[in-house]
Amino acid sequence: MKLLFEESRPGRGECLIPVCDVPEYALDPACLRSSAPRLPEMAEVDLDRHYTALSKETYGVNCGFYPLGSCTMKYNPRVNEAASSLPGFVQIHPLQPAETVQGALRVLYDTEKLIAEITGMDAMTMQPAAGAHGEYTGLLLIRKYHETRGELAQRTKIIVPDSAHGTNPASAVMAGFSVVSIPSNPEGGVDLQALKNAVGPDTAGLMLTNPNTLGLFDPNILEITKTVHEAGGLCYYDGANLNAVMGQARPGDMGFDCVHVNLHKTFSTPHGGGGPGSGPVGCKAFLAPFLPSSRVREENGKYSLFDPEQTMGRVRSFYGNFLVVVRALTYILTLGRKGIPEASEGAVLNANYMMKRLSEYYTMPYPQPCMHEFVMDIGPLKAETGVNAMDVAKRLLDFGIHPPTMYFPLIVHEALMIEPTETESQETLDAACDALIQIWKEAHEQPEMLHAAPLTKTITRPDDVLAARKPILKYLFDEN
Amino acid sequence: MSNIPENVKYTNSHEWISEESGIATIGLSDFAQDAMGDIVFINLPAVGDAVTAGESFADVESVKAVAEVFSPVSGTVESVNEELLDNPALVNEAPYDAWLIRVSDISERVELMDAAAYAQHCESEKE
Amino acid sequence: MGSYIPSTEEERARMLKTVGMGSPDELFSCIPPEARIHDLNLPDGLTEMEVSARMASLAGENRVFASVFRGAGAYRHYIPSIVTTVTTKEEFVTAYTPYQAEISQGVLQSIFEYQTQICELTGMEVSNASVYDGAVAAAESVLMNVDGRRKKKVLISEAVNPDVLTVVQTYCESRNVPLTVIPMKNHATDPEALRKLLDSECASVCFQQPNYFGILEDAETLIGITHEAGAKAVMNVNPISLGLLKTPGEYGADIACGEGQPLGLPLSFGGPYLGFMATTKELMRKLPGRIVGQTEDTQGRRAYVLTLQAREQHIRREKASSNICSNEALCAMTASVYLAAVGPEGLRRVALNSVSHAHYLAARLSEIEGFALVEDSEFFHEFLMTCPIDPIILNEKLAEQGILGGLPIEGGILWCATELNGKKEIDRLVDLVKEAVR
């Protein structure tokens, strides 16, 4: 496909902006750029077709099954999109007087109350723009807590299990902590003894995803949080996998002090090819004074903004990815009291169903019933046939299915992590299982074909090594 | 089977080192480059930086991994192999020619192995 | 009402049987009973018709102003029709991060095009695929050069947007990086103060162009002083202004960053917005966030992939320079479509009309007694002006006529005009202001 810059022709394109209706102001010539930016000059029809062509080379949830583990690629309901495009939400300035944005403030306020109830927390901020941003914000709460108690100099360590997302250790470092990684036990949970050995007077806190990245709920969760609390640390819940337990169990009841949720996972807002997401952070009442500025409060039916007394500052301008919050609120109001637990039940049922069907062929390193996702180990298949997790994933593309998450978690070397979500029918799950079973057979009969997969896409496997060794990160006008 | 020449010494973290007239030349062993796969970038220290025996002085990137390189000696970086900045593949192609840094003012050293001991060490690290 | 689950009760029962369970409750038997709940205090679910009405009613409780003279970090510009057409295409909206390049060439190419456009706009060599917003872009930028050994601290101008300043402060404090605010003089960064604050331990110096008060900073002098001390210069720029203004690249800045919202993104009560970051080849590997690169497939065809990934958290974990994972991809695409739709001439006109409207507005308001520019410096499309009455009362009177007036800040009112505030609108505003202060 041609790039915009290759399609551009000097002088083309409609003029969208009128000539200035007041005297043109002449800025000091020393302030002006020497030449115009080489932006595309295109007729609208060609521009429109350009993006139609690009959209056809993009696979979204609306194109088919997307069982990407840990990403909760559920269907993005249309009514959420309709709500988030209402002019009353889209065309308001973030610095309008509070009395002119009562509806918007109420969106933030109501969403806070609803997600606080779902997570068992007392207060929230909608400011973080993504999951990792939420992690960072949650860790700053922990930091402020220790700081106000005069213990920050001593409590410098965040404990993270080895099955954690890479964002956890990276966020801990950004929040000024060092990371202690602890191993998983043979059942895939936190190794309690290792945790007990790791905690101490230097413990600032623990970051935990529960269910974890293997799709397993930690049966020792209460003892885990108790152990950390007894050592004087706080417990952070990474809500990446909240879709497994919403309405069934709450991080607040498991002993967690703060939590982030991913609106673009659990609460059905679309992922936009990598964002915008939203990662609201909730906390128990004792951490609320440290939340970022610009929280919303309600008095006598009037909503207004305020800064918590010992606020950490802010992690983003204004109030977060507001239109994403609008979508999530629409979703939560739609599902309500019954629908929220129904969704997690459906997610867990779908995952167990796929796991059951596939376990006749593929190796399940943790064979107990899973929560909303499960991990297959392609290691044994590789030993037998030479076909690895990458080959299986790439072959799935030929079946019109988005591959599972590959090579994660790191503790299973040839991992494929499957998360079907609740919004898929049994037929869709069966078709995916049939495809994976056929691939298993192909691995034994014609492994060479799998190494070359995908076979039916507009490109074959791209050369990642070339891309990284000789980076070309923009169109090179002067060489073309 | 890895190529393990006898004219250099090795560390258990898979660096090789050869010393001549007070200058140590340090690189990655064939075993190490093979384990990394296609190397796409090497983050090297600057000339004049201090390195410490047993501590990391560089990192090596492949597409999907990054690994630290540990210095077998303490001293001062006397020169770095700038050719590797443009062509890190040299480490894959000829690991014993594609040195990373040269170190002078050598003080301490970590425990080093000869080729035979290192061959055994590599054997024991294979899964 | 409902939960978007396609399977019927009967189908679910059959699937439960397949997995060998007797009741749905068994699915959660691994949860300790003490942590298990069986009810939530939530309202009952709503049908689509009901929820649509509820959301419309909430939207209706917000006032949409026909005429907006307020900026201060969020700017109302004309959004070409094609922008929304493209960015509501369902494949773009519902895709995840393009990890699987073979079925993501569309979104990958669009990010590559975005990166190219940001480089063109800023005059820099390398752009990332976006970060959360302009304030976070500034924070990530000032921290890029901190190495904890030789380069330990950073400086930022007092004349940046206050939200940007607070976010940078929050980020620096948590990383234990000392941050000093460079005082301003006449509402612009004071070069002499900067000179005094700089030393060899300074990693970077950040200022905003045009600054929070709309004033054009003496970028050349500030960057010169910064480089003399061996620090890197971070320019936080308004992308629309770059339709006219000298680029960070031309000034010799090391990093250009900013809020991309003016490029086709609606005001949206503050988000989603777009943080852009661009830098030199020298600093390429310190740039946080995703980056798309061009390569070839096994048959030699051009293809795009996420590249230089060894910088990122999923590989480097605690050693990564940033934790960013999800970014603002669809907002980056919005900016890219916007820039392609307006083209070089359109962008120039947006910038020129904005700056011209702002100067016309300033001149007209100055006709009224008690309204005077606080500084006589060159400004872009915002300016600080005194106000003879309580600015809040003035704004209330304007609001009655459907106008969102300038933002009351210390020293007066920060007014803003863009290409959307035409002559008629400005003349009407001035008449109403005259009436209000009479």
Side-chain angles (χ1 to χ4, degrees):
Chain A
M1 282 178 296
K2 280 189 173 173
L3 289 160
L4 286 171
F5 316 100
E6 292 164 334
E7 292 181 60
S8 172
R9 297 289 177 274
R12 274 209 189 140
E14 337 296 326
C15 199
L16 306 178
I17 311 295
V19 171
C20 199
D21 56 359
V22 298
E24 284 187 5
Y25 182 77
L27 284 159
D28 176 356
C31 297
L32 302 180
R33 63 186 296 157
S34 58
S35 60
R38 287 168 289 186
L39 299 175
E41 295 180 68
M42 289 173 70
E44 186 172 308
V45 57
D46 294 325
L47 191 58
D48 218 339
R49 285 179 186 155
H50 175 85
Y51 285 105
T52 299
L54 291 191
S55 73
K56 286 180 180 164
E57 292 298 325
T58 301
Y59 186 96
V61 170
N62 280 16
C63 306
F65 191 35
Y66 218 121
L68 188 62
S70 253
C71 298
T72 314
M73 294 299 283
K74 61 170 77 173
Y75 175 65
N76 312 127
R78 290 295 186 178
V79 67
N80 301 357
E81 300 306 306
S84 71
S85 48
L86 290 166
F89 293 135
V90 173
Q91 294 181 23
I92 49 176
H93 193 287
L95 298 174
Q96 282 186 207
E99 64 272 16
T100 66
V101 287
Q102 286 295 298
L105 293 174
R106 185 156 178 205
V107 164
L108 296 171
Y109 186 83
D110 287 356
T111 311
E112 165 171 346
K113 292 286 171 239
L114 294 167
I115 299 180
E117 168 65 15
I118 292 168
T119 55
M121 294 289 147
D122 298 316
M124 300 201 75
T125 173
M126 298 290 141
Q127 212 171 70
H133 206 204
E135 291 173 20
Y136 173 66
T137 309
L139 288 164
L140 291 189
L141 290 175
I142 294 177
R143 194 185 153 95
K144 281 299 232 186
Y145 169 79
H146 292 310
E147 191 185 311
T148 52
R149 293 163 55 94
E151 292 189 0
L152 185 60
Q154 160 202 341
R155 296 196 177 270
T156 55
K157 295 197 166 122
I158 292 286
I159 300 167
V160 178
D162 59 2
S163 60
H165 298 116
T167 49
N168 286 184
S171 299
V173 169
M174 283 189 73
F177 295 110
S178 57
V179 175
V180 180
S181 178
I182 54 164
S184 304
N185 64 22
E187 293 78 44
V190 169
D191 183 329
L192 264 181
Q193 196 50 52
L195 176 67
K196 284 179 177 160
N197 295 342
V199 295
D202 60 354
T203 301
L206 166 80
M207 294 181 89
L208 197 67
T209 311
N210 190 32
N212 65 15
T213 57
L214 297 163
L216 303 172
F217 192 96
D218 205 309
N220 301 320
I221 189 62
L222 297 170
E223 197 172 346
I224 291 168
T225 52
K226 190 169 153 228
T227 303
V228 175
H229 284 153
E230 280 174 358
L234 297 184
C235 297
Y236 179 86
Y237 181 89
D238 176 337
N241 294 341
L242 185 67
N243 204 47
V245 293
M246 63 173 181
Q248 316 291 346
R250 309 192 302 173
D253 302 336
M254 300 175 204
F256 288 94
D257 305 293
C258 49
V259 44
H260 87 261
V261 301
N262 297 77
L263 299 187
H264 50 287
K265 294 180 179 176
T266 316
F267 297 104
S268 84
T269 72
H271 207 286
S278 175
V281 166
C283 64
K284 295 285 192 180
F286 73 99
L287 292 174
F290 311 126
L291 281 168
S293 50
S294 300
R295 289 194 63 208
V296 182
R297 67 177 150 211
E298 183 259 349
E299 279 163 316
N300 307 322
K302 293 279 174 217
Y303 299 87
S304 60
L305 291 164
F306 75 102
D307 292 345
E309 58 267 42
Q310 288 166 282
T311 179
M312 64 172 72
R314 52 169 61 246
V315 294
R316 189 196 178 283
S317 324
F318 308 121
Y319 328 112
N321 282 343
F322 175 72
L323 295 182
V324 180
V325 178
V326 170
R327 291 178 175 91
L329 176 61
T330 312
Y331 178 74
I332 296 169
L333 290 176
T334 301
L335 266 64
R337 183 181 205 152
K338 269 195 191 154
I340 293 282
E342 240 169 54
S344 54
E345 189 183 301
V348 175
L349 177 60
N350 280 1
N352 276 288
Y353 178 76
M354 279 192 79
M355 183 177 171
K356 180 76 180 175
R357 276 207 61 195
L358 292 170
S359 59
E360 286 173 39
Y361 296 86
Y362 288 93
T363 304
M364 302 296 165
Y366 301 94
Q368 63 266 48
C370 63
M371 296 296 282
H372 67 307
E373 66 188 1
F374 60 96
V375 170
M376 306 201 298
D377 184 2
I378 306 300
L381 183 70
K382 184 181 171 188
E384 212 179 317
T385 66
V387 166
N388 64 19
M390 172 80 85
D391 297 332
V392 174
K394 293 300 181 191
R395 181 64 178 145
L396 261 183
L397 297 173
D398 288 327
F399 291 84
I401 294 169
H402 194 286
T405 296
M406 314 181 295
Y407 297 101
F408 189 84
L410 306 174
I411 53 175
V412 176
H413 293 299
E414 289 284 335
L416 285 181
M417 185 205 250
I418 299 182
E419 179 182 7
T421 83
E422 74 278 12
T423 64
E424 301 296 339
S425 67
Q426 193 185 354
E427 297 96 287
T428 304
L429 306 182
D430 279 334
C433 290
D434 291 345
L436 279 161
I437 291 164
Q438 188 183 324
I439 293 170
W440 186 89
K441 289 176 183 159
E442 287 172 353
H444 290 81
E445 288 156 11
Q446 32 184 342
E448 287 313 310
M449 179 183 78
L450 297 198
H451 298 321
L455 308 170
T456 60
K457 300 293 147 191
T458 44
I459 62 161
T460 56
R461 290 189 204 183
D463 188 343
D464 289 317
V465 174
L466 176 68
R469 278 185 180 163
K470 304 265 177 240
I472 302 174
L473 308 179
K474 62 172 184 172
Y475 177 67
L476 303 170
F477 290 93
D478 304 323
E479 292 174 26
N480 290 284
Chain B
M1 188 61 205
S2 284
N3 174 19
I4 304 179
E6 294 190 349
N7 59 341
V8 297
K9 293 273 200 315
Y10 300 89
T11 66
N12 60 11
S13 48
H14 305 286
E15 293 84 16
W16 60 260
I17 173 169
S18 74
E19 285 190 53
E20 207 174 312
S21 24
I23 304 277
T25 304
I26 298 163
L28 282 178
S29 75
D30 187 43
F31 182 92
Q33 72 77 20
D34 188 58
M36 280 299 290
D38 293 318
I39 292 170
V40 298
F41 187 70
I42 304 176
N43 221 334
L44 291 169
V47 171
D49 280 5
V51 295
T52 308
E55 287 186 14
S56 157
F57 69 88
D59 56 48
V60 177
E61 295 178 2
S62 68
V63 170
K64 301 276 181 210
V66 55
E68 289 180 296
V69 190
F70 298 91
S71 181
V73 297
S74 296
T76 309
V77 178
E78 191 257 340
S79 53
V80 301
N81 188 353
E82 288 187 3
E83 226 184 324
L84 299 182
L85 297 176
D86 286 332
N87 194 0
L90 292 173
V91 174
N92 291 122
E93 289 156 15
Y96 298 99
D97 295 331
W99 56 277
L100 269 53
I101 57 169
R102 294 207 164 108
V103 177
S104 56
D105 308 327
I106 299 166
S107 50
E108 321 167 68
R109 288 173 182 75
V110 300
E111 202 173 315
L112 297 172
M113 285 176 266
D114 63 14
Y118 180 62
Q120 249 181 354
H121 175 64
C122 291
E123 206 54 43
S124 71
E125 283 212 351
K126 277 187 195 162
E127 282 178 311
Chain C
M1 213 137 66
S3 39
Y4 300 101
I5 295 179
S7 52
T8 62
E9 208 167 313
E10 195 193 334
E11 286 168 328
R12 290 201 294 275
R14 217 163 46 214
M15 285 163 71
L16 257 185
K17 207 173 147 202
T18 307
V19 301
M21 289 185 192
S23 79
D25 219 39
E26 262 185 71
L27 291 165
F28 299 97
S29 56
C30 52
I31 301 178
E34 305 94 298
R36 186 85 163 83
I37 54 161
H38 294 278
D39 195 15
L40 281 172
N41 183 17
L42 294 180
D44 289 334
L46 300 175
T47 61
E48 179 171 329
M49 192 175 96
E50 291 165 315
V51 85
S52 296
R54 169 73 73 83
M55 297 313 289
S57 140
L58 283 170
E61 286 170 43
N62 300 320
R63 180 94 185 269
V64 175
F65 288 94
S67 181
V68 175
F69 289 93
R70 190 169 291 193
Y75 302 93
R76 184 166 154 269
H77 287 283
Y78 180 69
I79 299 174
S81 316
I82 192 171
V83 172
T84 320
T85 310
V86 170
T87 55
T88 51
K89 285 187 194 291
E90 60 191 30
E91 294 87 350
F92 297 143
V93 173
T94 68
Y96 196 72
T97 303
Y99 290 130
Q100 297 291 341
E102 296 87 343
I103 50 168
S104 309
Q105 285 301 295
V107 71
L108 285 163
Q109 179 173 328
S110 91
I111 298 170
F112 186 81
E113 290 169 343
Y114 162 83
Q115 290 173 185
T116 306
Q117 288 167 322
I118 291 296
C119 288
E120 279 300 307
L121 215 51
T122 57
M124 304 303 290
E125 292 170 306
V126 183
S127 160
N128 70 8
S130 77
V131 295
Y132 310 131
D133 77 343
V136 172
E140 294 271 14
S141 296
V142 299
L143 287 168
M144 254 172 70
N145 299 299
V146 175
D147 63 12
R149 293 181 301 142
R150 295 199 197 95
K151 299 290 182 190
K152 296 180 185 162
K153 51 190 203 182
V154 296
L155 301 176
I156 187 165
S157 164
E158 190 186 355
V160 302
N161 180 299
D163 266 15
V164 171
L165 183 59
T166 313
V167 172
V168 173
Q169 274 167 338
T170 306
Y171 269 66
C172 286
E173 190 190 324
S174 71
R175 279 248 171 137
N176 303 313
V177 173
L179 171 83
T180 308
V181 176
I182 313 156
M184 58 186 183
K185 195 176 163 187
N186 304 331
H187 290 93
T189 315
D190 179 1
E192 286 320 305
L194 170 62
R195 202 187 294 278
K196 282 184 199 137
L197 287 168
L198 271 166
D199 63 40
S200 65
E201 286 191 341
C202 278
S204 44
V205 172
C206 177
F207 64 93
Q208 183 175 321
Q209 178 82 325
N211 73 18
Y212 180 60
F213 309 99
I215 292 172
L216 295 186
E217 296 274 2
D218 183 356
E220 202 172 322
T221 304
L222 296 176
I223 292 175
I225 297 171
T226 301
H227 284 168
E228 272 169 37
K232 303 287 186 196
V234 177
M235 263 180 97
N236 183 335
V237 288
N238 179 321
I240 291 291
S241 76
L242 295 175
L244 285 176
L245 295 184
K246 199 182 260 195
T247 65
E250 286 174 309
Y251 279 120
D254 302 282
I255 303 170
C257 62
E259 175 53 67
Q261 176 272 327
L263 302 174
L265 288 156
L267 291 169
S268 311
F269 202 50
Y273 284 0
L274 163 70
F276 64 86
M277 287 179 76
T279 188
T280 57
K281 272 200 180 131
E282 181 202 338
L283 298 179
M284 170 176 81
R285 288 175 194 273
K286 291 186 174 172
L287 190 61
R290 298 204 170 104
I291 299 177
V292 171
Q294 181 185 314
T295 185
E296 290 172 0
D297 75 356
T298 57
Q299 296 178 29
R301 290 174 293 207
R302 182 166 74 180
Y304 303 93
V305 292
L306 293 172
T307 193
L308 306 184
Q309 293 191 68
R311 297 165 298 116
E312 292 184 68
Q313 48 75 26
H314 62 283
I315 292 179
R316 214 170 268 255
R317 298 177 76 87
E318 68 267 24
K319 295 199 173 65
S321 60
S322 169
N323 66 342
I324 187 165
C325 182
S326 283
N327 52 33
E328 305 287 309
L330 197 62
C331 302
M333 177 182 273
T334 307
S336 185
V337 182
Y338 174 85
L339 288 169
V342 297
E345 175 55 18
L347 184 70
R348 193 188 69 85
R349 282 196 190 186
V350 172
L352 181 64
N353 293 6
S354 297
V355 73
S356 302
H357 286 156
H359 283 79
Y360 179 73
L361 170 64
R364 291 284 339 262
L365 284 173
S366 302
E367 296 166 5
I368 311 169
E369 201 181 326
F371 285 83
L373 281 167
V374 173
E375 307 294 346
D376 59 3
S377 326
E378 187 88 290
F379 62 90
F380 191 71
H381 68 340
E382 285 179 281
F383 55 88
L384 180 61
M385 196 168 246
T386 57
C387 179
I389 63 166
D390 182 348
I392 292 173
I393 292 172
L394 174 65
N395 275 330
E396 276 170 5
K397 291 189 178 172
L398 294 176
E400 285 165 17
Q401 303 298 321
I403 297 173
L404 181 63
L407 184 71
I409 61 171
E410 201 188 319
I413 295 182
L414 185 63
W415 295 94
C416 175
T418 70
E419 78 282 9
L420 284 172
N421 307 103
K423 181 173 185 299
K424 260 192 211 157
E425 208 179 294
I426 294 172
D427 290 340
R428 177 168 172 257
L429 170 81
V430 172
D431 290 344
L432 291 167
V433 171
K434 278 181 185 164
E435 215 167 284
V437 297
R438 189 175 295 160

